[in-house]
Amino acid sequence: MQKLCPLDLFLEICKIPHSSRDAKLLKEWIIQKAHEFGAEVKEDKAGNVLCSKGSPKICLQGHYDMVYVGDNPFKIEPYFFTKEGKEWLGAKDSSLGADNGVAVACMLVALKESSHIECLFSADEEVGMEGARDCELEILSPFILNCDSEDISEIVLSCAGGYDLIASQEFSKKALEGEWNFFRVQTQNFKGGHSGVDIHKNIPNAIIELAKMIATNHGEIIEFSGGEKRNSIPVNASALVAFKQDLKELKFDVNSFKVEQIKSMPKQAYAIQSLMEVILKMPLGVLQSEEGNVVLSSNLGKVRQEGDKFTLVFMDRGNKEEEMRKLLEKKQNVLEQLGFISDVQDFYPPWEREEGEFVTKVAKVYREHNAQAHIKSIHAGLECGILKQKFPHKSFVSIGPTILCPHSKREHLDVTSFWKFWEILKGILKEFS
C-alpha cells in the first residue's frame, strides 16, 4: 500500500476554503478521510471532530480553521522557494494556512497509520478558541499532544491566555470653518504579523501609523477604518480626511501612505478627539516581560465605522491571569472615562506550566531528532489552556514545525522543519503505541 505523504495532503488542504467560521467544506473533507482510514467519528454542535481508532493512549489535537488574509474569494496558491540555503513554502499574495493546516495533514496521516489513537480537530480557534471553549466531546486518552506551536526547537508547556475587548462610541459631527482640502489616505507596504508571537518585533501597526499621520498634519476625520483580523497586527487602514494643507505641504512617508485628493466634500468632520486619544495613547505592544519573554501585551486589531459609530477591537494576551485581569480593569476604566462602552468577549485563561511523564517522554523523543530543543512558554494562544479546564486530569504538551509570520501574507513554512516534525510525531506515537 502506497504511503500517504503529509506535505501532499497539506497542499490538498490549501485548495479547500477554511477561513474561521467558514470551514464547513474542510470539516466534511476531514470526516470523509477519517472514515476512509477506518476511524470512528464524532462531531459536536461547535463543529469539533473527534476521530478514534482502537484503544487510544494519546490524542493529537489541532484546529482546522485559519486566518485567511488575501483577496476574496478564498484562494491559496502555495509555492516553494529557497532563501539562505533553506527551502520554504509560502503562498502568493495570501496567508498560507500552515497554522494549523500542517497539523491537520499530519494528524490525518497518523490516523491512517496508527491502530490506537485519537485526533481532535477543533473548530474556530482563530476567532477566540470557540471550538475548544464549546467542546462537548469526551477524550479518552490521558495524554493530549497539541500540534499548533510554531518553532521546531521548542517544546511548549504553557501559553498565554487572552480576551477581546470591544469598545464603541457614537460621535457627533462638527462644521469645518474656512478653507479645507479633502484626501483619501490609505496605508501601503505594511508587513503585519501575529499579535502574539510577533508582538515583540516592533512591527508597525497600520491603524496607529495612519492616526499619527493625520495628527501630525492636524487633520479632521470624516471616515476611518482599518485592520483585518483581531489577532493580527494590521496591514491596511484607510481614512477620508480634511487638511488645511495642500498635497505638497503634507508630511508623510510616500512608502507607507497613498494620498489621493478629492475635489469636493461637505465641510463636516467628526469631533473624534477621544478616539484618537485611545489609538495614540493607549499602551499597546509589549506591556510586560520577564527574563526576555513577553508575559503581557495588547494589540489594536481593528477599527470599524458604521455611520456615526466607531468601534475598536483590542486583543490582549497574558501568561499570568492576574496580570491579564488587572490590565482589563485598567483599560475599561480609561475607555469609560473617554465615553466608550466596552464589552469583553472570549476570555480564556493561560495554560500554566506542567511537568510529568508525558513531558519526559516527548522531550526524550524530541531531542533524539533535535539536540537544540528546549522547553518554553510562549506568548500566543493555544487551545491547551481551555481544554485543560475541561480535562484537568489529562497532561498536555505542544509542538510544531517552524512557521514564520503567520496570520499575514508573509506566512511561510520551513520545509525541513516540517519533515523533522513529522519524524518526531511518529516517534512520540511509537512511545504510546
Side-chain angles (χ1 to χ4, degrees), residues 194-196 198-205 208 233-234 279 281-289 294-301 314-318 327 331 379:
H194 190 290
S195 68
D198 294 327
I199 199 70
H200 65 289
K201 297 178 181 178
N202 296 317
I203 297 171
N205 182 313
I208 296 171
I233 299 169
I279 295 174
K281 295 183 180 180
M282 182 75 76
L284 296 170
V286 177
L287 305 181
Q288 189 176 325
S289 297
V294 182
V295 296
L296 192 67
S297 71
S298 180
N299 177 62
L300 174 56
F314 299 91
M315 184 174 185
D316 297 348
R317 302 177 189 263
L327 174 63
K331 289 181 76 167
H379 192 66

Side-chain angles (χ1 to χ4, degrees), residues 393-410:
H393 302 299
K394 299 187 187 299
S395 298
F396 290 78
V397 175
S398 179
I399 63 173
T402 297
I403 302 170
L404 300 184
C405 307
H407 302 184
S408 76
K409 292 182 180 182
R410 298 181 299 127

Side-chain angles (χ1 to χ4, degrees), residues 43-57:
E43 182 184 352
D44 63 16
K45 294 176 183 176
N48 301 303
V49 177
L50 181 64
C51 308
S52 58
K53 291 172 72 175
S55 301
K57 299 177 182 178

Side-chain angles (χ1 to χ4, degrees), residues 173-330:
K173 290 183 178 179
K174 61 182 180 181
L176 297 175
E177 304 293 341
E179 295 299 317
W180 291 85
N181 298 306
F182 300 92
F183 299 88
R184 170 67 64 185
V185 185
Q186 294 177 294
T187 59
Q188 60 183 4
N189 300 321
F190 283 78
K191 295 180 178 180
H194 190 290
S195 68
V197 296
D198 294 327
I199 199 70
H200 65 289
K201 297 178 181 178
N202 296 317
I203 297 171
N205 182 313
I207 292 171
I208 296 171
E209 296 307 312
L210 177 56
K212 287 179 181 178
M213 182 271 188
I214 295 169
T216 296
N217 291 282
H218 307 289
E220 296 286 352
I221 293 173
I222 302 162
E223 296 176 3
F224 192 108
S225 63
E228 298 74 42
K229 308 289 181 180
R230 72 196 222 305
N231 55 356
S232 62
I233 299 169
V235 172
N236 301 295
S238 175
L240 183 57
V241 191
F243 293 112
K244 287 286 189 180
Q245 306 94 313
D246 62 26
L247 182 58
K248 292 181 180 179
E249 296 171 327
L250 289 175
K251 298 176 183 177
F252 65 95
D253 180 355
V254 294
N255 293 316
S256 300
F257 299 98
K258 179 182 177 181
V259 181
E260 178 185 4
Q261 188 160 5
I262 298 171
K263 289 185 178 180
S264 178
M265 288 288 297
K267 286 191 174 183
Q268 285 185 322
Y270 283 97
I272 209 165
Q273 182 178 351
S274 61
L275 178 74
M276 293 291 279
E277 187 169 343
V278 171
I279 295 174
L280 295 175
K281 295 183 180 180
M282 182 75 76
L284 296 170
V286 177
L287 305 181
Q288 189 176 325
S289 297
E290 287 184 2
E291 299 178 353
N293 296 315
V294 182
V295 296
L296 192 67
S297 71
S298 180
N299 177 62
L300 174 56
K302 293 195 288 186
V303 175
R304 293 287 179 262
Q305 180 181 357
E306 297 176 284
D308 299 334
K309 183 180 179 181
F310 290 78
T311 300
L312 303 98
V313 181
F314 299 91
M315 184 174 185
D316 297 348
R317 302 177 189 263
N319 289 71
K320 295 181 178 180
E321 186 171 352
E322 182 180 357
E323 297 301 319
M324 286 173 60
R325 294 191 180 278
K326 286 181 182 177
L327 174 63
L328 175 57
E329 182 180 1
K330 182 178 180 180

